[in-house]
Amino acid sequence: MTEWKKTGCALCAQNCGLEVKVENNRLVRSRPDRDNPRSRGYACRKGLNIRHHQHHAGRLTSPLKKTDGRLTEISWERALDEIAERLAGIIETHGPKSLAYVGGGGQGCHFEAAFGVRLMRGLGSRYHYSPLGQELTGRYWVHGRVLGRQNLNLGPDHHRSDVLVAWGWNGWMSHQMPRARVVLSQFSRNPDKTLVSIDPHRSETASRADIHLPVRPGTDALLAKAMAAIIIDKGWLAEEYLAAHSLGLDWVRERLAGFDAARAIRVCGLDQGAVEDLCRLLAESNWSCHYDLGLLMNRHSTLTCYLMVLLQALCGRIGVPGGVVMPGCLMPLGVHTDERQPETWRTSATGFPSLLGVFPPNVLPEEILADGPDRVRAVLTSGSNPLRSYAETAAWEAAFDKLDLAVTSDLALTETAARSHYILPAASAYESWDGTFFGWTWPEVHFQMRRPVVKPEGEPWEVSRIYLELADRLGLIPDCPRSLTEAARGNRPAFGAALMAWLAENPAAKAVLPFVLGKTLGSALGSVNLAALWGLVMSVPPGFRAAAARAGFADGPDQGERIFQALMDNPQGVTIGLSDMDHNLDELKTDSGRLELEIPELNEWLDNLTPESEAADLARDQDLPLVLNAGRHMDMNANTLMRDPAWNTGRRPCTAALAPADAEKLHLTDGHQVRVTTRTGSATLELEIDPKVRPGTVIIPHGFGLQTPDGDYGVNVNLLTSTQNRDPLAATPLHKYVRCRVEGV
Ligand SMILES: Nc1nc2c(c(=O)[nH]1)N[C@H]1C(S)=C(S)[C@@H](COP(=O)(O)OP(=O)(O)OC[C@H]3O[C@@H](n4cnc5c(=O)[nH]c(N)nc54)[C@H](O)[C@@H]3O)O[C@H]1N2
Ligand SMILES: Nc1nc2c(c(=O)[nH]1)N[C@H]1C(S)=C(S)[C@@H](COP(=O)(O)OP(=O)(O)OC[C@H]3O[C@@H](n4cnc5c(=O)[nH]c(N)nc54)[C@H](O)[C@@H]3O)O[C@H]1N2
Ligand code: SF4
Ligand SMILES: [Mo]
């Protein structure tokens, strides 16, 4: 039987709506879903090849246990009993700091995070290592200071901008905003709009830009500082806006006074006139900006994020139509954890604080390999593949080998799973109810709860259910009375009333509410995730209630229930909120209610960033003369998610790309095998000569080096990266600036 069913793509944060054709319980085709309110008929080639994500030879079908280096099948009951017992033992002997949870649901399946985090917290640990801690936490630390909360986001209100600045962002390939190619094409083609790209490479986005500044790799902080200095010196500030909405401008002026912008621009390899013209454009136009990994995973990562916010503030662009705005959302991606507060945990060996509620994966190998009493000994991983995704694979392998307990839940026998003690098969995005909290749209707040469109083969579980069963075995879930379980099978409002009554008598249960819901409503609905969704929409904060009312869900005691029902009735997703974008600056959460531009912790870092210091730091290394961008995100990768090599048949997915001039100097021709060597290691792969690559640099995609049943797929770029090449404040890996050399083999 053939059927088209509505679902969504789980391969990047856009989660475009898809319709999939299902034949004999297999996805055979997919097409963009025009009814999805967020993507409106948009999808890229990855979503259109989603069947390769669901069906591949590496899928796990039953729990596995490693004994004497060999994997054997084990029942769910036994696996969970054994894991619970070992976890309890480790925590009893070594304390809660010995436990870390790694992951959080990747690009498509965020419901597990609520359960993984509750389990970890229930056992007394706060060590949640998340991919957010390897790209975005430095940025959100800045938001914590300037906007007042780390979990306030800023996104370009591009619908209403005349100029869009793509800074270290290759949106044509990576998306990172809904319908990215449509948006970028509109800016590129419309004579009244301007697309600016600041990128060392002539990326797919840069080649469509009206203005492209080919900045020298790793010098964006210096460039941004120079631009801020020019805007101040020329008097191009948005004076009125700053007077009304900011504090700390004197501190900024003091920091930038006397800065030699002209010299800085020379170090950045750019033309002074071109940079001044851009500054004037920014001072005079209605612009917004999206900056991404080119800055986040680069030298001075966190400082650059501050300078980006500063530039936008100086030009009066934050919280205004067409600028960068703070969107509403059903649930923010993290929580505010101010590292100045004594209750905020730090990692014990490396001393990094939690930011946005999470810890940076980059330091976990050290936290495991350390000698101290608080070292991490047990790791629960799900929806993440640290042994391919995070810097320095060899360090991760050594760390995993030292663990007392490694449990990995995944779709596939990933490289991380293969080095774990227990491997638990997870239901895929197409076999379960799930969704994501990558909101990032405005004024509309959309949500789609994907439903199962195929039945799983074997016995994979929702990851949430795995964590719930472990929590239950570990005594973290109070006994729920049978009346509650029975009420869950009846009508939901009556269940809600019974639950409230029970919680009033058992207030401690509130801390583990998702588990209680999972056990009661989850068994009635056949999905722990679905029960968690109900709990979520029933308890949204007042701000969201107002947004939901504007979207047609009138406020009242049954508002949550109506939102839930709408999500159930609309598999394509629903617009569940409308933010008030006319008063966006009201979202600021600083004590002053203004943008607080002064961050004393940045004094030295900002002051020491000079043309001289940068020129010295960037001086050519004779032994490693090239700069590697260790991790291009392009059409042929989707992090480590696409495990079936067949989806790239006939393409060249994993190469080392070099500029023609460099290839010529090295006497190399296209297709040659080359060895790329860094301080950390070497990798051999095919050379691709590409005129879009900037001379002096090399680009390798990330996400490859996958061990599939059909053989190895591509080369793992994290053989070349180091955990130590990281931001001093957020520990973000600086993958865009890895010194290397290239030789023919
Ligand atoms: N097709 C595809 N799409 C994806 C993903 C994927 O794997 N494949 N992954 C998703 C994820 S998780 C993420 S985080 C995003 C990442 O999305 P992006 O950040 O857009 O991806 P990148 O290709 O890593 O880098 C962006 C740009 O930074 C530039 N850059 C490199 N060095 C510098 C520099 O020194 N200065 C400046 N200004 N720019 C520099 C690169 O040339 C590149 O054009 O993509 C998402 N979308
Ligand atoms: N050198 C270098 N390394 C990088 C990058 C880089 O640019 N350079 N980019 C980094 C970035 S931006 C990111 S975000 C990280 C991402 O790195 P990770 O956090 O590891 O995430 P993914 O690779 O997206 O997916 C991880 C796992 O989720 C599993 N999975 C897929 N679908 C499902 C599902 O439906 N259910 C469940 N339960 N599991 C599923 C997959 O099998 C996969 O093993 O990689 C980073 N690694
Ligand atoms: S990979 Fe991203 S942009 Fe492409 S279809 Fe999937 S969600 Fe949409
Ligand atoms: Mo990412």
Side-chain angles (χ1 to χ4, degrees):
M1 219 185 64
T2 304
E3 264 180 286
W4 283 92
K5 296 183 177 179
K6 288 188 185 294
T7 180
C9 178
L11 297 180
C12 93
Q14 298 319 312
N15 305 117
C16 298
L18 295 177
E19 289 183 307
V20 288
K21 189 174 174 185
V22 180
E23 275 177 19
N24 302 323
N25 200 40
R26 286 181 80 83
L27 307 184
V28 292
R29 274 185 60 196
S30 49
R31 65 187 181 201
D33 182 5
R34 288 188 204 168
D35 298 329
N36 180 290
R38 177 179 161 112
S39 57
R40 292 181 283 127
Y42 183 90
C44 77
R45 81 172 279 262
K46 298 187 294 301
L48 301 179
N49 282 287
I50 201 73
R51 62 185 185 284
H52 294 279
H53 178 61
Q54 168 67 18
H55 309 290
H56 55 76
R59 285 295 307 266
L60 295 166
T61 52
S62 97
L64 301 171
K65 176 184 181 180
K66 194 181 287 165
T67 340
D68 300 328
R70 287 198 31 234
L71 291 175
T72 45
E73 288 193 7
I74 177 173
S75 72
W76 273 108
E77 282 300 309
R78 264 197 63 197
L80 295 168
D81 286 346
E82 289 183 19
I83 295 167
E85 197 187 320
R86 288 174 69 171
L87 265 179
I90 292 168
I91 288 171
E92 196 178 302
T93 315
H94 301 289
K97 291 196 166 169
S98 56
L99 169 66
Y101 161 52
V102 178
Q107 307 286 317
C109 305
H110 287 172
F111 275 80
E112 67 151 81
F115 294 85
V117 168
R118 288 300 181 311
L119 172 63
M120 174 197 75
R121 299 278 306 214
L123 293 170
S125 173
R126 295 191 192 174
Y127 286 144
H128 176 199
Y129 286 85
S130 153
L132 291 170
Q134 52 95 58
E135 45 190 329
L136 287 165
T137 40
R139 173 178 167 151
Y140 287 130
W141 175 81
V142 172
H143 290 190
R145 292 302 165 85
V146 180
L147 311 177
R149 286 289 179 282
Q150 289 166 358
N151 57 8
L152 275 176
N153 194 18
L154 281 178
D157 188 24
H158 58 80
H159 306 278
R160 297 188 283 179
S161 328
D162 299 323
V163 177
L164 175 63
V165 182
W167 201 333
W169 171 53
N170 186 13
W172 193 265
M173 284 291 163
S174 67
H175 295 84
Q176 302 285 74
M177 66 167 52
R179 302 161 54 82
R181 288 185 185 181
V182 174
V183 173
L184 290 169
S185 296
Q186 281 164 357
F187 273 90
S188 171
R189 292 205 192 121
N190 183 339
D192 298 327
K193 292 198 184 248
T194 306
L195 179 63
V196 179
S197 164
I198 305 180
D199 197 311
H201 306 284
R202 196 152 52 77
S203 71
E204 291 76 3
T205 306
S207 60
R208 287 172 171 84
D210 302 288
I211 299 171
H212 174 206
L213 295 191
V215 63
R216 176 176 175 189
T219 60
D220 299 275
L222 194 64
L223 175 61
K225 186 172 176 183
M227 288 170 66
I230 291 170
I231 288 169
I232 292 175
D233 285 351
K234 303 252 183 208
W236 290 343
L237 300 171
E239 303 275 3
E240 267 178 49
Y241 171 97
L242 288 163
H245 302 298
S246 80
L247 289 180
L249 194 57
D250 290 343
W251 176 86
V252 173
R253 286 184 191 277
E254 195 185 315
R255 303 258 84 72
L256 297 185
F259 184 72
D260 190 345
R263 192 153 174 202
I265 293 167
R266 281 198 299 280
V267 174
C268 299
L270 293 171
D271 173 69
Q272 192 181 343
V275 175
E276 283 189 9
D277 287 349
L278 178 62
C279 292
R280 184 193 294 274
L281 180 72
L282 299 188
E284 291 174 352
S285 70
N286 179 5
W287 64 279
S288 63
C289 172
H290 182 100
Y291 66 95
D292 219 312
L293 297 188
L295 308 192
L296 300 174
M297 288 187 173
N298 215 327
R299 301 175 65 253
H300 306 296
S301 170
T302 300
L303 179 64
T304 313
C305 294
Y306 171 74
L307 288 162
M308 297 312 291
V309 171
L310 178 67
L311 272 178
Q312 296 172 110
L314 293 179
C315 298
R317 304 309 304 155
I318 298 177
V320 301
V324 287
V325 293
M326 294 164 271
C329 60
L330 177 56
M331 190 164 84
L333 268 187
V335 293
H336 178 71
T337 40
D338 187 335
E339 81 289 355
R340 292 165 300 186
Q341 302 303 324
E343 68 268 20
T344 301
W345 273 28
R346 287 179 179 265
T347 54
S348 47
T350 49
F352 283 94
S354 102
L355 299 175
L356 203 65
V358 302
F359 289 90
N362 229 347
V363 307
L364 186 52
E366 277 162 88
E367 295 297 325
I368 297 171
L369 294 168
D371 287 327
D374 283 340
R375 72 179 194 82
V376 172
R377 293 161 190 270
V379 169
L380 305 176
T381 307
S382 47
S384 184
N385 186 12
L387 271 67
R388 281 300 170 275
S389 299
Y390 301 148
E392 201 172 336
T393 303
W396 279 90
E397 288 175 347
F400 258 60
D401 288 347
K402 197 179 170 192
L403 286 172
D404 297 351
L405 179 64
V407 179
T408 298
S409 311
D410 205 294
L411 298 191
L413 186 62
T414 62
E415 298 65 33
T416 304
R419 244 179 160 94
S420 302
H421 301 106
Y422 292 89
I423 302 160
L424 305 175
S428 83
Y430 303 96
E431 297 158 351
S432 48
W433 290 95
D434 217 325
T436 73
F437 297 98
F438 295 123
W440 304 342
T441 56
W442 53 88
E444 298 88 356
V445 180
H446 306 296
F447 197 80
Q448 180 186 23
M449 192 65 180
R450 287 187 322 264
R451 56 199 58 209
V453 291
V454 288
K455 290 197 191 63
E457 283 168 30
E459 41 179 353
W461 283 12
E462 278 181 333
V463 178
S464 320
R465 181 176 165 204
I466 300 175
Y467 291 140
L468 182 145
E469 294 276 347
L470 285 173
D472 214 5
R473 281 168 172 75
L474 287 157
L476 301 178
I477 314 182
D479 285 333
C480 308
R482 189 201 282 241
S483 57
L484 207 53
T485 321
E486 270 159 20
R489 293 185 201 286
N491 92 356
R492 281 192 303 269
F495 167 73
L499 179 68
M500 293 312 283
W502 183 72
L503 286 174
E505 283 163 30
N506 299 275
K510 283 185 193 151
V512 288
L513 194 55
F515 288 140
V516 172
L517 282 169
K519 261 185 99 167
T520 52
L521 190 59
S523 22
L525 297 173
S527 162
V528 171
N529 291 346
L530 209 45
L533 173 69
W534 183 81
L536 178 66
V537 294
M538 294 303 284
S539 56
V540 291
F544 192 79
R545 295 181 74 101
R550 283 190 287 269
F553 297 96
D555 204 350
D558 64 340
Q559 187 193 44
E561 180 57 38
R562 278 180 283 121
I563 296 175
F564 184 76
Q565 195 57 49
L567 290 166
M568 302 299 292
D569 294 342
N570 291 281
Q572 73 276 20
V574 181
T575 301
I576 57 170
L578 279 178
S579 306
D580 174 9
M581 301 314 288
D582 294 333
H583 301 95
N584 194 239
L585 283 164
D586 292 352
E587 299 296 320
L588 290 175
K589 297 283 188 302
T590 48
D591 291 341
S592 61
R594 295 172 177 224
L595 299 164
E596 296 187 356
L597 299 174
E598 172 173 354
I599 307 187
E601 287 88 341
L602 293 181
N603 279 354
E604 268 183 52
W605 199 354
L606 190 48
D607 293 352
N608 292 342
L609 182 81
T610 63
E612 297 73 22
S613 68
E614 287 293 275
D617 280 359
L618 293 165
R620 186 183 155 97
D621 177 328
Q622 292 306 326
D623 192 36
L624 302 170
L626 302 173
V627 173
L628 168 66
N629 167 354
R632 184 199 328 227
H633 296 240
M634 50 26 158
D635 233 0
M636 290 174 285
N637 61 4
N639 291 350
T640 66
L641 292 168
M642 299 298 267
R643 284 206 163 252
D644 180 7
W647 83 288
N648 277 327
T649 303
R651 294 174 163 234
R652 295 170 84 187
C654 186
T655 61
L658 209 57
D662 287 326
E664 201 175 309
K665 258 187 254 163
L666 293 162
H667 310 293
L668 296 169
T669 52
D670 193 84
H672 232 108
Q673 288 291 304
V674 292
R675 183 165 50 240
V676 181
T677 302
T678 65
R679 272 189 201 107
T680 310
S682 288
T684 300
L685 70 175
E686 181 185 324
L687 175 71
E688 179 175 352
I689 298 179
D690 181 351
K692 295 192 293 299
V693 178
R694 180 190 178 93
T697 68
V698 187
I699 310 181
I700 299 180
H702 91 114
F704 288 97
L706 302 178
Q707 293 159 354
T708 76
D710 306 320
D712 285 0
Y713 184 28
V715 168
N716 168 16
V717 74
N718 283 318
L719 294 170
L720 301 173
T721 57
S722 161
T723 60
Q724 304 301 311
N725 186 25
R726 65 191 179 209
D727 184 69
L729 201 145
T732 320
L734 312 182
H735 289 317
K736 302 291 168 199
Y737 200 92
V738 181
R739 290 181 187 263
C740 74
R741 70 168 173 272
V742 174
E743 299 147 299
V745 291

